[in-house]
Amino acid sequence: MNKKINYIIITMFAVLGGIVWFLMRDFPSKGLEEGFGPAFYPTVLLCILLILLVILLIQTVTNKGMEEEETQLPKLKELKRPALILLCMCGYALLMPYLGFIITGILYLFVTMRILNANLVRSIIVSVAMVIIVYLLFRYAFKVPLPLGMILGG
C-alpha cells in the first residue's frame, strides 16, 4: 500500500474509534457483583485499535520506499460480494428489532454463506446451529437476554 491509503485507513479507523468511545461514554464501568461492566470489552477493543493504528502510523511514516508502490483499485465486479455482505449486515441490523436474534441471525448467516458460495445444506445446518449455540450461550452462560422480536413474542 502507499502512504496516502494508509493515512486514509488510519483516519477512518480513528474516527470510528472516536465514535464508539463517544457512544459508550455513559456505559457503567462496573457490572453487578461479577466485576466487569458493559464498558470493559469495548474499552479493550478500542485500546487494541489504538495500538494497531499507532503501529501502522509509525510504519507509514518511517517507510521511505512505500510511495513508489503501484496500487490498483479493485474492479467493480470484485466489489459485488463485499457490497452484498455489507447490505446483508445493514438488513440484519434493521430487521433485528422486528424478527429477533434467532430468525435474523439464521437469515443473515444463511444468505452470507450462500453469497460466499457455501453448499446449500451446509449453509442451513451451520446457520441454525451457530445461532442456537450463540443464543444459548448468551442466555444461560452470560445471562444476557437477546431480543426475540415481535414474531417470537419478545
Side-chain angles (χ1 to χ4, degrees), residues 62-104:
T62 59
N63 194 346
K64 308 271 191 268
M66 215 173 189
E67 207 128 1
E68 288 124 26
E69 292 181 19
E70 187 73 27
T71 52
Q72 276 191 325
L73 295 174
K75 296 176 184 162
L76 192 57
K77 185 178 180 181
E78 295 171 347
L79 295 176
K80 182 181 175 185
R81 280 187 186 168
L84 286 172
I85 292 173
L86 182 62
L87 187 65
C88 286
M89 292 168 78
C90 292
Y92 177 80
L94 292 173
L95 292 174
M96 176 75 77
Y98 305 105
L99 300 179
F101 175 78
I102 294 172
I103 295 172
T104 311

Side-chain angles (χ1 to χ4, degrees), residues 6-22 24 40-59:
N6 279 2
Y7 288 129
I8 291 170
I9 290 170
I10 291 167
T11 304
M12 285 176 26
F13 278 100
V15 169
L16 177 68
I19 291 170
V20 170
W21 179 78
F22 178 77
M24 63 173 254
F40 176 74
Y41 187 65
T43 303
V44 169
L45 292 180
L46 285 175
C47 290
I48 292 170
L49 177 65
L50 179 65
I51 291 167
L52 292 175
L53 288 177
V54 168
I55 291 170
L56 181 60
L57 182 63
I58 291 169
Q59 287 177 345

Side-chain angles (χ1 to χ4, degrees), residues 143-154:
K143 299 198 186 324
V144 176
L146 295 173
L148 293 174
M150 293 179 203
I151 293 178
L152 296 178

